Amino acid sequence: MTANSVELSRSGGSVVTGTTTEGCDSAANHEVAVKASSFGLFNVLVIAIMLPASLSSVFSTTSMSYVFPIAQCDLNLTVDDKGLLNSVTYFGMLVSGFLWGVLTDLFGRRKLLVFLFFFEGIMVILTGFSQYFAYLVAAKFVEGIVITGGVSTVLTYTNEFHSAYHRTFIPVINGIYSNLASIVLPLVGWSLFTDSMNLSLFNDGMLLRSWNIFLFVTAIPSFVAFVFYMILPESPKFLMTVGKREEALEVFRTMFRINTRRSRDEYPITTLVDESKLFEDKLHGGHVTSNRSNMQALKEGCQQIQPLFYPPFLINIFIVLTINFGLLMGLNTIRLWTPQLFIALNNYESLHKENGFDLCGALSQIGNDGQASNETCFVNYNNGQVYLHNIVVSVAAIVIIVCSLPLMGKFKKKNILCGTGICSGLCGVFIYFSTNIVMAIALISVNVGCTYIALNVLLSIVIDLFPTSLRTIAVSLAMVFGRLGSSIGNVIFPPLLTSGCFFPFLTVGGMAAGKYLQSFTQNFKIHLVIGSNTACCIDRRDIGNPM
């Protein structure tokens, strides 16, 4: 048997080194244990189950952008109402995002995922019964409260079944899944949206139109994710963190058996490090007690939040929050208004064929459609080209993300983050200068694709920067600020539309592409490209794992 010296991963600022051998009794940390379980079918299944989870989250945040152009007459929607429908889910996410992060780190990833996706499916069905604007807004707000926990927890849960090498690709795969969801959603709308679909319930007391049925269909991924996460085990990393080493060891043995087709008894690791003792920090909290009660877990949860606001984590979390705010503001404003933009272009060209492509003319139509909605409301169901354009944007974004995969191992994450952030911001501004539909689609595609890359690289950086006891909390807090940016972007977009053609793209693309912010800490050198899209270059010095 060959001995392999292994440097265990950094956790909470501590580095543990040891030697592992086949059948060795020395304690192994998570990184060593997960490598010993190999990469195989089990990992593929965990990654595959991210797909319905991604479909659920994207459907929840994006469905309104396809519904309100069809439901604008049924609900008497103004352009400001449309902006509120796009943003209200993110407002719901703001309310509970940080809470779900705390609860997930306290009670486990799997338990929360099972609960959240089941409740999310129920909420989407209730949303599908909407008959009034106020009810729809309230239902989407509650839906946002629920879905936000699943978004961050799925990434953390999936990462914790993989070694450091494979964790680099998980956020990228998640970005691909999100764009696949953006392909599926217009296909569902294309197949369902029609003026002839009317279902009467409760003695004609409720009329369900095609957009109601569309919302019912978007609940399917949530229930699929619920079923699969019921089957999967708890994250071994979480089990180790709370001191349940034997349970974690059983999970590793199961992974080993499925991945290698060998007996569980052949798994070389017999003892795991008690990671509940690695995170103890008497000054700023961070202690995790094994076999703790719920009240004790809540008390320790409050203590675990504290390290985020003290060095060395304070500067890290500040940078992450700033970048994520800008990235998601730009991404979700452009992404959620793209279907309406294409519909407006389609309607404008059908009414003004002699003018040809006129982006500003189409935008003025969006800005003025609310004033006439009570008098001459009209819904154009002949939008095949519109759905096709949205599909092209998503496919192109996937191609961009896939092409970025080889770059992950060749360039530092900070360089990828800076390059893609600047590129997405410039493309957001240049949409205004589009002279034809092909150019508009290309610029939107590059904007969305590059922003997804930057966002997923940032999430990968978060996994590297924070220990397990703070990881999901940090991701959730980052997403809270990102959703704040998304909410603000979608709320201000309608007034910007009415004020002029250039202002929306100038705002979401970012006015300043070369403004830099430099920190005053010893360990970091930061360059921020600040606008609605924000990129960050982080140069980690004097720290063991360079990014």
Side-chain angles (χ1 to χ4, degrees), residues 429-440:
V429 175
F430 289 158
I431 294 172
Y432 167 77
F433 299 101
S434 300
T435 57
N436 54 67
I437 190 65
V438 175
M439 184 176 178

Side-chain angles (χ1 to χ4, degrees), residues 291-312:
N291 301 318
R292 57 195 173 174
S293 65
N294 288 346
M295 288 302 297
Q296 189 175 14
L298 287 173
K299 181 180 178 180
E300 291 178 359
C302 295
Q303 294 175 341
Q304 285 180 316
I305 298 173
Q306 296 180 35
L308 285 176
F309 305 103
Y310 293 91

Side-chain angles (χ1 to χ4, degrees), residues 225-243:
F226 158 73
V227 171
F228 280 118
Y229 283 116
M230 282 281 291
I231 300 171
L232 288 176
E234 180 57 270
S235 158
K237 182 66 172 176
F238 171 79
L239 294 173
M240 292 176 67
T241 302
V242 296

Side-chain angles (χ1 to χ4, degrees), residues 64 67-85 132-134 136-137 211 340 366 368-374 377:
M64 286 299 99
V67 165
F68 63 64
I70 304 300
Q72 60 183 4
C73 295
D74 296 330
L75 302 177
N76 294 321
L77 300 179
T78 67
V79 65
D80 291 328
D81 293 336
K82 295 175 181 180
L84 180 58
L85 285 175
Y132 303 100
F133 172 72
L136 183 59
V137 170
W211 59 269
Q340 177 68 85
I366 298 177
N368 295 326
D369 64 358
Q371 285 78 358
S373 61
N374 293 328
C377 185

Side-chain angles (χ1 to χ4, degrees), residues 174-489:
N174 182 64
I176 294 174
Y177 283 169
S178 297
N179 279 280
L180 282 174
S182 298
I183 294 174
V184 174
L185 197 60
L187 286 175
V188 174
W190 198 351
S191 62
L192 290 178
F193 288 145
T194 175
D195 194 32
S196 61
M197 185 180 295
N198 299 289
L199 180 61
S200 180
L201 300 177
F202 309 115
N203 295 323
D204 296 333
M206 177 179 291
L207 180 64
L208 300 181
R209 303 292 298 270
S210 60
W211 59 269
N212 297 101
I213 307 302
F214 171 81
L215 290 174
F216 290 144
V217 172
T218 61
I220 295 175
S222 298
F223 289 115
V224 173
F226 158 73
V227 171
F228 280 118
Y229 283 116
M230 282 281 291
I231 300 171
L232 288 176
E234 180 57 270
S235 158
K237 182 66 172 176
F238 171 79
L239 294 173
M240 292 176 67
T241 302
V242 296
K244 298 181 179 180
R245 291 180 290 170
E246 288 302 318
E247 293 182 33
L249 194 57
E250 286 301 310
V251 175
F252 284 126
R253 286 170 178 160
T254 299
M255 294 171 60
F256 177 81
R257 179 181 60 81
I258 296 175
N259 288 339
T260 65
R261 307 294 197 276
R262 294 161 61 184
S263 170
R264 296 165 57 92
D265 297 333
E266 295 182 54
Y267 182 64
I269 305 298
T270 58
T271 307
L272 297 174
V273 170
D274 187 358
E275 293 197 356
S276 64
K277 297 179 180 179
L278 296 179
F279 303 109
E280 186 170 5
D281 183 338
K282 295 180 180 179
L283 180 61
H284 301 310
H287 178 67
V288 179
T289 303
S290 60
N291 301 318
R292 57 195 173 174
S293 65
N294 288 346
M295 288 302 297
Q296 189 175 14
L298 287 173
K299 181 180 178 180
E300 291 178 359
C302 295
Q303 294 175 341
Q304 285 180 316
I305 298 173
Q306 296 180 35
L308 285 176
F309 305 103
Y310 293 91
F313 300 121
L314 178 60
I315 184 64
N316 296 357
I317 196 66
F318 171 77
I319 297 169
V320 169
L321 299 186
T322 304
I323 299 170
N324 216 45
F325 178 90
L327 286 175
L328 283 179
M329 180 180 180
L331 172 66
N332 288 322
T333 303
I334 290 180
R335 184 176 66 87
L336 295 181
W337 281 92
T338 293
Q340 177 68 85
L341 173 62
F342 286 149
I343 287 176
L345 285 170
N346 185 51
N347 293 342
Y348 186 84
E349 289 183 8
S350 64
L351 295 175
H352 307 279
K353 295 182 179 180
E354 69 282 358
N355 294 341
F357 181 88
D358 187 350
L359 181 62
C360 290
L363 288 176
S364 65
Q365 185 182 57
I366 298 177
N368 295 326
D369 64 358
Q371 285 78 358
S373 61
N374 293 328
E375 302 174 3
T376 59
C377 185
F378 169 72
V379 175
N380 181 10
Y381 287 94
N382 186 23
N383 287 319
Q385 288 295 320
V386 170
Y387 301 122
L388 183 60
H389 292 159
N390 282 281
I391 292 170
V392 170
V393 168
S394 299
V395 171
I398 291 176
V399 172
I400 293 172
I401 295 173
V402 171
C403 291
S404 73
L405 289 175
L407 303 178
M408 297 301 169
K410 296 181 179 180
F411 297 94
K412 292 181 178 181
K413 294 177 184 178
K414 64 165 189 175
N415 296 334
I416 298 174
L417 188 59
C418 284
T420 53
I422 294 173
C423 181
S424 63
L426 292 177
C427 287
V429 175
F430 289 158
I431 294 172
Y432 167 77
F433 299 101
S434 300
T435 57
N436 54 67
I437 190 65
V438 175
M439 184 176 178
I441 292 174
L443 289 170
I444 294 173
S445 300
V446 175
N447 173 275
V448 172
C450 286
T451 308
Y452 266 114
I453 295 171
L455 180 62
N456 289 315
V457 169
L458 179 64
L459 292 178
S460 177
I461 290 174
V462 171
I463 299 298
D464 294 336
L465 286 177
F466 300 98
T468 303
S469 59
L470 298 174
R471 192 170 293 160
T472 304
I473 297 174
V475 172
S476 296
L477 188 58
M479 298 308 289
V480 164
F481 272 73
R483 286 153 193 156
L484 176 63
S486 301
S487 302
I488 292 174

